[in-house]
Amino acid sequence: MTLLSHLCRFRLAAPLALLVATACSASSPAPHVEPPPGTAAPAPASPGAADGPTGLLSEEDFKALHELRTDKAPPARGQAVEVAGTRAYLSLPRDAKPPIPGVVVIHEWWGLNEHIKHWTDRLAEDGYAAIAVDLYGGKVATTPDDAMAAMKAVDEAKGLETVRAAHRFLTTDARVMAPRTASIGWCFGGAWSLKLALNEPELDAAVLYYGRLVTDPAQLKAIKAPVLGIFGNQDKGIPPEVVNEFDKALHEAGIEHEVLRYDADHAFANPSGERYNTKAAADAWEKARRFLAAKLKGQ
């Protein structure tokens, strides 16, 4: 199935609201890869906040970057499973038999909701066994305040145990027996995709959309998997200058990687986000699909 036909199926399945969101307007600039490092970046909104869960932004500014879609995702076709004592959502390719390459899917700050499940199903349609973890302990946020509280309540050690357990599930479950694995996440989940790459030497690829970054080459040397980072040049939480530092640190650490940058704001490709930018998100998704196919299928 071509990307165009796949996106058409997705749009037909989703209400018109997705297409008329502000970030999806026809006037959205075409995506492009940013010029070499040196791009000017917005100043941090709240100095000293980089150590917190909202990165460079205050909690109020961070909440303002996220809007929850009001439409419903297509019906989920996967199944509930348990990993590390928490719920997860598993979606398998139709009629596929093991071994199947696997992807750990990590939700954005709203939690494991129907839109994340739909994105997990989309990965299954591409031939992957995809398992979406739940780092919120069953909570699904519907307001920014609830999402902020859920994100701040995540225990890092338990979260790491959960994402690593999901990775083990893909490699050991009789339905999957994944020979190669990857991780993918958006925003909050993008940071956790990077965290899994830092802590799971058997991971074969990591995709992170504008998640909080590590810019210390010494720490990044722990990564064994190729990394694809996707960012928006208008993002005030993960601004271009921080992305430049991340890119440089990956080079210094000797990590195979690619960094994509778009004329878009934070959350431009979030599955649950009303700020979805059709042009940038579609281009980024096509490149992410190629990256996963190359690293997990050798295509």
Side-chain angles (χ1 to χ4, degrees):
M1 180 180 294
T2 66
L3 174 64
L4 180 59
S5 62
H6 185 80
L7 289 174
C8 287
R9 286 182 61 202
F10 172 59
R11 290 182 184 176
L12 288 173
L16 187 59
L18 173 64
L19 302 180
V20 298
T22 301
C24 300
S25 66
S27 61
S28 298
H32 78 290
V33 176
E34 190 188 59
T39 303
S46 57
D51 291 336
T54 61
L56 296 174
L57 298 180
S58 69
E59 290 186 7
E60 291 305 313
D61 289 337
F62 186 85
K63 286 189 287 188
L65 292 178
H66 300 81
E67 299 174 37
L68 182 64
R69 285 170 54 178
T70 57
D71 63 306
K72 289 187 175 296
R77 65 173 186 80
Q79 58 190 291
V81 295
E82 183 177 305
V83 295
T86 67
R87 70 168 183 156
Y89 176 79
L90 176 67
S91 190
L92 300 173
R94 302 177 193 275
D95 303 320
K97 296 180 180 179
I100 309 169
V103 180
V104 177
V105 181
I106 311 172
H107 57 79
E108 43 180 309
W109 85 318
W110 299 106
L112 179 52
N113 61 19
E114 60 184 11
H115 293 290
I116 296 298
K117 291 178 181 179
H118 173 58
W119 222 260
T120 306
D121 289 341
R122 292 181 70 179
L123 284 163
E125 289 184 9
D126 269 355
Y128 306 104
I131 185 168
V133 298
D134 178 7
L135 298 182
Y136 287 177
K139 296 179 181 179
V140 176
T142 57
T143 69
D145 287 339
D146 287 346
M148 179 65 70
M151 182 177 71
K152 292 170 68 175
V154 173
D155 179 87
E156 183 167 337
K158 184 175 180 181
L160 184 57
E161 178 186 358
T162 298
V163 294
R164 294 196 69 186
H167 179 268
R168 288 195 301 272
F169 180 98
L170 291 173
T171 60
T172 60
D173 187 85
R175 293 163 290 185
V176 184
M177 302 301 292
R180 299 185 70 78
T181 57
S183 61
I184 186 170
W186 304 263
C187 189
F188 166 83
W192 276 93
S193 183
L194 178 60
K195 194 180 296 290
L196 180 56
L198 284 162
N199 290 276
E200 180 48 69
E202 299 303 318
L203 195 71
D204 296 292
V207 180
L208 53 132
Y209 283 80
Y210 36 75
R212 188 179 175 203
L213 301 174
V214 173
T215 56
D216 180 359
Q219 293 183 48
L220 293 173
K221 284 182 179 181
I223 297 176
K224 305 302 179 185
V227 173
L228 175 64
I230 300 169
F231 305 93
N233 287 337
Q234 300 170 27
D235 190 339
K236 296 178 179 63
I238 312 292
E241 64 180 4
V242 175
V243 177
N244 290 342
E245 293 177 15
F246 179 60
D247 189 12
K248 180 182 178 181
L250 287 170
H251 275 296
E252 292 180 6
I255 307 302
E256 178 186 345
H257 71 283
E258 182 177 4
V259 171
L260 304 178
R261 316 188 198 212
Y262 294 87
D263 285 331
D265 208 334
H266 185 80
F268 74 84
N270 280 19
S272 308
E274 189 68 24
R275 301 166 68 93
Y276 194 89
N277 181 316
T278 303
K279 290 183 180 180
D283 187 81
W285 180 241
E286 175 64 8
K287 289 180 171 62
R289 294 176 72 206
R290 292 177 186 172
F291 176 78
L292 291 173
K295 304 308 178 185
L296 301 190
K297 299 178 181 178
Q299 296 179 352

